[in-house]
mmCIF file with all atom_site columns, all heavy atoms in Angstrom:
data_model
loop_
_atom_site.group_PDB
_atom_site.id
_atom_site.type_symbol
_atom_site.label_atom_id
_atom_site.label_alt_id
_atom_site.label_comp_id
_atom_site.label_asym_id
_atom_site.label_entity_id
_atom_site.label_seq_id
_atom_site.pdbx_PDB_ins_code
_atom_site.Cartn_x
_atom_site.Cartn_y
_atom_site.Cartn_z
_atom_site.occupancy
_atom_site.B_iso_or_equiv
_atom_site.pdbx_formal_charge
_atom_site.auth_seq_id
_atom_site.auth_comp_id
_atom_site.auth_asym_id
_atom_site.auth_atom_id
_atom_site.pdbx_PDB_model_num
ATOM 1   N N   . MET X 1 115 ? -9.800  -6.870  -10.924 1.00 95.00 ? 115 MET X N   1
ATOM 2   C CA  . MET X 1 115 ? -10.729 -6.209  -11.863 1.00 95.00 ? 115 MET X CA  1
ATOM 3   C C   . MET X 1 115 ? -11.996 -5.749  -11.142 1.00 95.00 ? 115 MET X C   1
ATOM 4   O O   . MET X 1 115 ? -12.513 -4.667  -11.399 1.00 95.00 ? 115 MET X O   1
ATOM 5   C CB  . MET X 1 115 ? -11.073 -7.149  -13.020 1.00 95.00 ? 115 MET X CB  1
ATOM 6   C CG  . MET X 1 115 ? -9.943  -7.330  -14.007 1.00 95.00 ? 115 MET X CG  1
ATOM 7   S SD  . MET X 1 115 ? -10.445 -8.200  -15.516 1.00 95.00 ? 115 MET X SD  1
ATOM 8   C CE  . MET X 1 115 ? -10.540 -9.875  -14.965 1.00 95.00 ? 115 MET X CE  1
ATOM 9   N N   . ARG X 1 116 ? -12.484 -6.605  -10.244 1.00 93.00 ? 116 ARG X N   1
ATOM 10  C CA  . ARG X 1 116 ? -13.701 -6.240  -9.498  1.00 93.00 ? 116 ARG X CA  1
ATOM 11  C C   . ARG X 1 116 ? -13.467 -5.005  -8.639  1.00 93.00 ? 116 ARG X C   1
ATOM 12  O O   . ARG X 1 116 ? -14.301 -4.103  -8.566  1.00 93.00 ? 116 ARG X O   1
ATOM 13  C CB  . ARG X 1 116 ? -14.113 -7.405  -8.580  1.00 93.00 ? 116 ARG X CB  1
ATOM 14  C CG  . ARG X 1 116 ? -14.887 -8.489  -9.291  1.00 93.00 ? 116 ARG X CG  1
ATOM 15  C CD  . ARG X 1 116 ? -15.668 -9.342  -8.295  1.00 93.00 ? 116 ARG X CD  1
ATOM 16  N NE  . ARG X 1 116 ? -16.325 -10.437 -8.985  1.00 93.00 ? 116 ARG X NE  1
ATOM 17  C CZ  . ARG X 1 116 ? -15.942 -11.706 -8.923  1.00 93.00 ? 116 ARG X CZ  1
ATOM 18  N NH1 . ARG X 1 116 ? -14.927 -12.054 -8.166  1.00 93.00 ? 116 ARG X NH1 1
ATOM 19  N NH2 . ARG X 1 116 ? -16.583 -12.636 -9.581  1.00 93.00 ? 116 ARG X NH2 1
ATOM 20  N N   . GLU X 1 117 ? -12.321 -5.001  -7.953  1.00 91.00 ? 117 GLU X N   1
ATOM 21  C CA  . GLU X 1 117 ? -12.056 -3.926  -6.987  1.00 91.00 ? 117 GLU X CA  1
ATOM 22  C C   . GLU X 1 117 ? -11.694 -2.602  -7.659  1.00 91.00 ? 117 GLU X C   1
ATOM 23  O O   . GLU X 1 117 ? -12.059 -1.541  -7.157  1.00 91.00 ? 117 GLU X O   1
ATOM 24  C CB  . GLU X 1 117 ? -10.914 -4.342  -6.051  1.00 91.00 ? 117 GLU X CB  1
ATOM 25  C CG  . GLU X 1 117 ? -11.284 -5.452  -5.083  1.00 91.00 ? 117 GLU X CG  1
ATOM 26  C CD  . GLU X 1 117 ? -12.319 -5.017  -4.067  1.00 91.00 ? 117 GLU X CD  1
ATOM 27  O OE1 . GLU X 1 117 ? -12.303 -3.833  -3.678  1.00 91.00 ? 117 GLU X OE1 1
ATOM 28  O OE2 . GLU X 1 117 ? -13.149 -5.852  -3.670  1.00 91.00 ? 117 GLU X OE2 1
ATOM 29  N N   . MET X 1 118 ? -10.964 -2.677  -8.754  1.00 93.00 ? 118 MET X N   1
ATOM 30  C CA  . MET X 1 118 ? -10.436 -1.444  -9.339  1.00 93.00 ? 118 MET X CA  1
ATOM 31  C C   . MET X 1 118 ? -11.372 -0.798  -10.352 1.00 93.00 ? 118 MET X C   1
ATOM 32  O O   . MET X 1 118 ? -11.197 0.371   -10.696 1.00 93.00 ? 118 MET X O   1
ATOM 33  C CB  . MET X 1 118 ? -9.082  -1.713  -10.011 1.00 93.00 ? 118 MET X CB  1
ATOM 34  C CG  . MET X 1 118 ? -8.042  -2.289  -9.075  1.00 93.00 ? 118 MET X CG  1
ATOM 35  S SD  . MET X 1 118 ? -7.773  -1.270  -7.613  1.00 93.00 ? 118 MET X SD  1
ATOM 36  C CE  . MET X 1 118 ? -6.392  -0.291  -8.142  1.00 93.00 ? 118 MET X CE  1
ATOM 37  N N   . SER X 1 119 ? -12.344 -1.557  -10.853 1.00 95.00 ? 119 SER X N   1
ATOM 38  C CA  . SER X 1 119 ? -13.268 -0.962  -11.819 1.00 95.00 ? 119 SER X CA  1
ATOM 39  C C   . SER X 1 119 ? -14.548 -0.540  -11.102 1.00 95.00 ? 119 SER X C   1
ATOM 40  O O   . SER X 1 119 ? -14.809 -0.957  -9.979  1.00 95.00 ? 119 SER X O   1
ATOM 41  C CB  . SER X 1 119 ? -13.582 -1.957  -12.944 1.00 95.00 ? 119 SER X CB  1
ATOM 42  O OG  . SER X 1 119 ? -14.372 -3.016  -12.454 1.00 95.00 ? 119 SER X OG  1
ATOM 43  N N   . ASP X 1 120 ? -15.337 0.267   -11.791 1.00 95.00 ? 120 ASP X N   1
ATOM 44  C CA  . ASP X 1 120 ? -16.620 0.690   -11.230 1.00 95.00 ? 120 ASP X CA  1
ATOM 45  C C   . ASP X 1 120 ? -17.755 -0.159  -11.776 1.00 95.00 ? 120 ASP X C   1
ATOM 46  O O   . ASP X 1 120 ? -18.907 0.044   -11.405 1.00 95.00 ? 120 ASP X O   1
ATOM 47  C CB  . ASP X 1 120 ? -16.855 2.161   -11.562 1.00 95.00 ? 120 ASP X CB  1
ATOM 48  C CG  . ASP X 1 120 ? -15.787 3.026   -10.935 1.00 95.00 ? 120 ASP X CG  1
ATOM 49  O OD1 . ASP X 1 120 ? -15.704 3.070   -9.704  1.00 95.00 ? 120 ASP X OD1 1
ATOM 50  O OD2 . ASP X 1 120 ? -15.004 3.624   -11.689 1.00 95.00 ? 120 ASP X OD2 1
ATOM 51  N N   . GLY X 1 121 ? -17.407 -1.065  -12.646 1.00 94.00 ? 121 GLY X N   1
ATOM 52  C CA  . GLY X 1 121 ? -18.414 -1.981  -13.188 1.00 94.00 ? 121 GLY X CA  1
ATOM 53  C C   . GLY X 1 121 ? -17.699 -3.070  -13.959 1.00 94.00 ? 121 GLY X C   1
ATOM 54  O O   . GLY X 1 121 ? -16.805 -2.782  -14.757 1.00 94.00 ? 121 GLY X O   1
ATOM 55  N N   . LEU X 1 122 ? -18.051 -4.314  -13.680 1.00 95.00 ? 122 LEU X N   1
ATOM 56  C CA  . LEU X 1 122 ? -17.419 -5.439  -14.375 1.00 95.00 ? 122 LEU X CA  1
ATOM 57  C C   . LEU X 1 122 ? -18.515 -6.411  -14.796 1.00 95.00 ? 122 LEU X C   1
ATOM 58  O O   . LEU X 1 122 ? -19.307 -6.861  -13.969 1.00 95.00 ? 122 LEU X O   1
ATOM 59  C CB  . LEU X 1 122 ? -16.423 -6.148  -13.440 1.00 95.00 ? 122 LEU X CB  1
ATOM 60  C CG  . LEU X 1 122 ? -15.843 -7.484  -13.939 1.00 95.00 ? 122 LEU X CG  1
ATOM 61  C CD1 . LEU X 1 122 ? -14.948 -7.267  -15.151 1.00 95.00 ? 122 LEU X CD1 1
ATOM 62  C CD2 . LEU X 1 122 ? -15.076 -8.185  -12.827 1.00 95.00 ? 122 LEU X CD2 1
ATOM 63  N N   . GLU X 1 123 ? -18.553 -6.675  -16.093 1.00 96.00 ? 123 GLU X N   1
ATOM 64  C CA  . GLU X 1 123 ? -19.501 -7.667  -16.612 1.00 96.00 ? 123 GLU X CA  1
ATOM 65  C C   . GLU X 1 123 ? -18.725 -8.677  -17.440 1.00 96.00 ? 123 GLU X C   1
ATOM 66  O O   . GLU X 1 123 ? -17.897 -8.289  -18.268 1.00 96.00 ? 123 GLU X O   1
ATOM 67  C CB  . GLU X 1 123 ? -20.562 -7.004  -17.487 1.00 96.00 ? 123 GLU X CB  1
ATOM 68  C CG  . GLU X 1 123 ? -21.492 -6.067  -16.730 1.00 96.00 ? 123 GLU X CG  1
ATOM 69  C CD  . GLU X 1 123 ? -22.321 -5.224  -17.696 1.00 96.00 ? 123 GLU X CD  1
ATOM 70  O OE1 . GLU X 1 123 ? -22.535 -5.671  -18.846 1.00 96.00 ? 123 GLU X OE1 1
ATOM 71  O OE2 . GLU X 1 123 ? -22.708 -4.123  -17.312 1.00 96.00 ? 123 GLU X OE2 1
ATOM 72  N N   . ILE X 1 124 ? -18.990 -9.944  -17.201 1.00 95.00 ? 124 ILE X N   1
ATOM 73  C CA  . ILE X 1 124 ? -18.305 -11.000 -17.957 1.00 95.00 ? 124 ILE X CA  1
ATOM 74  C C   . ILE X 1 124 ? -19.352 -11.899 -18.598 1.00 95.00 ? 124 ILE X C   1
ATOM 75  O O   . ILE X 1 124 ? -20.227 -12.432 -17.917 1.00 95.00 ? 124 ILE X O   1
ATOM 76  C CB  . ILE X 1 124 ? -17.396 -11.838 -17.029 1.00 95.00 ? 124 ILE X CB  1
ATOM 77  C CG1 . ILE X 1 124 ? -16.327 -10.942 -16.391 1.00 95.00 ? 124 ILE X CG1 1
ATOM 78  C CG2 . ILE X 1 124 ? -16.725 -12.970 -17.819 1.00 95.00 ? 124 ILE X CG2 1
ATOM 79  C CD1 . ILE X 1 124 ? -15.471 -11.629 -15.354 1.00 95.00 ? 124 ILE X CD1 1
ATOM 80  N N   . GLU X 1 125 ? -19.256 -11.997 -19.904 1.00 95.00 ? 125 GLU X N   1
ATOM 81  C CA  . GLU X 1 125 ? -20.114 -12.948 -20.634 1.00 95.00 ? 125 GLU X CA  1
ATOM 82  C C   . GLU X 1 125 ? -19.189 -13.999 -21.222 1.00 95.00 ? 125 GLU X C   1
ATOM 83  O O   . GLU X 1 125 ? -18.283 -13.674 -22.003 1.00 95.00 ? 125 GLU X O   1
ATOM 84  C CB  . GLU X 1 125 ? -20.851 -12.249 -21.767 1.00 95.00 ? 125 GLU X CB  1
ATOM 85  C CG  . GLU X 1 125 ? -21.852 -11.205 -21.314 1.00 95.00 ? 125 GLU X CG  1
ATOM 86  C CD  . GLU X 1 125 ? -22.359 -10.416 -22.519 1.00 95.00 ? 125 GLU X CD  1
ATOM 87  O OE1 . GLU X 1 125 ? -22.569 -11.017 -23.584 1.00 95.00 ? 125 GLU X OE1 1
ATOM 88  O OE2 . GLU X 1 125 ? -22.503 -9.198  -22.382 1.00 95.00 ? 125 GLU X OE2 1
ATOM 89  N N   . SER X 1 126 ? -19.382 -15.240 -20.815 1.00 93.00 ? 126 SER X N   1
ATOM 90  C CA  . SER X 1 126 ? -18.469 -16.278 -21.254 1.00 93.00 ? 126 SER X CA  1
ATOM 91  C C   . SER X 1 126 ? -19.226 -17.509 -21.728 1.00 93.00 ? 126 SER X C   1
ATOM 92  O O   . SER X 1 126 ? -20.214 -17.914 -21.106 1.00 93.00 ? 126 SER X O   1
ATOM 93  C CB  . SER X 1 126 ? -17.521 -16.648 -20.093 1.00 93.00 ? 126 SER X CB  1
ATOM 94  O OG  . SER X 1 126 ? -16.454 -17.429 -20.569 1.00 93.00 ? 126 SER X OG  1
ATOM 95  N N   . GLY X 1 127 ? -18.772 -18.080 -22.816 1.00 93.00 ? 127 GLY X N   1
ATOM 96  C CA  . GLY X 1 127 ? -19.403 -19.272 -23.356 1.00 93.00 ? 127 GLY X CA  1
ATOM 97  C C   . GLY X 1 127 ? -18.430 -19.990 -24.271 1.00 93.00 ? 127 GLY X C   1
ATOM 98  O O   . GLY X 1 127 ? -17.274 -19.559 -24.417 1.00 93.00 ? 127 GLY X O   1
ATOM 99  N N   . PRO X 1 128 ? -18.877 -21.051 -24.889 1.00 93.00 ? 128 PRO X N   1
ATOM 100 C CA  . PRO X 1 128 ? -17.974 -21.850 -25.731 1.00 93.00 ? 128 PRO X CA  1
ATOM 101 C C   . PRO X 1 128 ? -17.415 -21.106 -26.937 1.00 93.00 ? 128 PRO X C   1
ATOM 102 O O   . PRO X 1 128 ? -16.417 -21.517 -27.515 1.00 93.00 ? 128 PRO X O   1
ATOM 103 C CB  . PRO X 1 128 ? -18.851 -23.026 -26.176 1.00 93.00 ? 128 PRO X CB  1
ATOM 104 C CG  . PRO X 1 128 ? -20.231 -22.737 -25.754 1.00 93.00 ? 128 PRO X CG  1
ATOM 105 C CD  . PRO X 1 128 ? -20.219 -21.632 -24.775 1.00 93.00 ? 128 PRO X CD  1
ATOM 106 N N   . GLU X 1 129 ? -18.048 -19.977 -27.284 1.00 93.00 ? 129 GLU X N   1
ATOM 107 C CA  . GLU X 1 129 ? -17.560 -19.200 -28.434 1.00 93.00 ? 129 GLU X CA  1
ATOM 108 C C   . GLU X 1 129 ? -16.578 -18.107 -28.031 1.00 93.00 ? 129 GLU X C   1
ATOM 109 O O   . GLU X 1 129 ? -16.030 -17.406 -28.898 1.00 93.00 ? 129 GLU X O   1
ATOM 110 C CB  . GLU X 1 129 ? -18.746 -18.547 -29.159 1.00 93.00 ? 129 GLU X CB  1
ATOM 111 C CG  . GLU X 1 129 ? -19.797 -19.521 -29.657 1.00 93.00 ? 129 GLU X CG  1
ATOM 112 C CD  . GLU X 1 129 ? -19.230 -20.519 -30.659 1.00 93.00 ? 129 GLU X CD  1
ATOM 113 O OE1 . GLU X 1 129 ? -18.475 -20.094 -31.551 1.00 93.00 ? 129 GLU X OE1 1
ATOM 114 O OE2 . GLU X 1 129 ? -19.534 -21.714 -30.519 1.00 93.00 ? 129 GLU X OE2 1
ATOM 115 N N   . GLY X 1 130 ? -16.398 -17.944 -26.725 1.00 95.00 ? 130 GLY X N   1
ATOM 116 C CA  . GLY X 1 130 ? -15.461 -16.920 -26.277 1.00 95.00 ? 130 GLY X CA  1
ATOM 117 C C   . GLY X 1 130 ? -15.955 -16.151 -25.067 1.00 95.00 ? 130 GLY X C   1
ATOM 118 O O   . GLY X 1 130 ? -17.031 -16.438 -24.524 1.00 95.00 ? 130 GLY X O   1
#
Side-chain angles (χ1 to χ4, degrees):
Chain X
M115 287 190 284
R116 278 200 184 107
E117 290 293 327
M118 302 305 266
S119 70
D120 298 296
L122 170 67
E123 294 168 25
I124 299 174
E125 295 171 39
S126 193
E129 302 299 316

